[in-house]
Amino acid sequence: MRAIADALRAVGGAVATVVTLPFRLVAKLFGGASRGTRGGGRPRRA
């Protein structure tokens, strides 16, 4: 029973990685683009 649970957990983790990967790539792409237009993206402290 434990082996089945471990196998399902591994498959679930792989599926989650494959599903979230495109969203992470898009977020990184847009994050990098917006950071470049705002001049570094770091808030300046007075």
Side-chain angles (χ1 to χ4, degrees):
M1 202 66 172
R2 188 173 194 147
I4 295 171
D6 287 341
L8 286 174
R9 198 172 299 127
V11 170
V15 169
T17 301
V18 169
V19 168
T20 57
L21 191 62
F23 293 106
R24 276 196 251 159
L25 288 174
V26 170
K28 186 185 287 190
L29 191 112
F30 281 109
S34 66
R35 198 177 307 129
T37 58
R38 281 186 290 168
R42 288 189 184 165
R44 294 191 180 138
R45 299 180 82 159

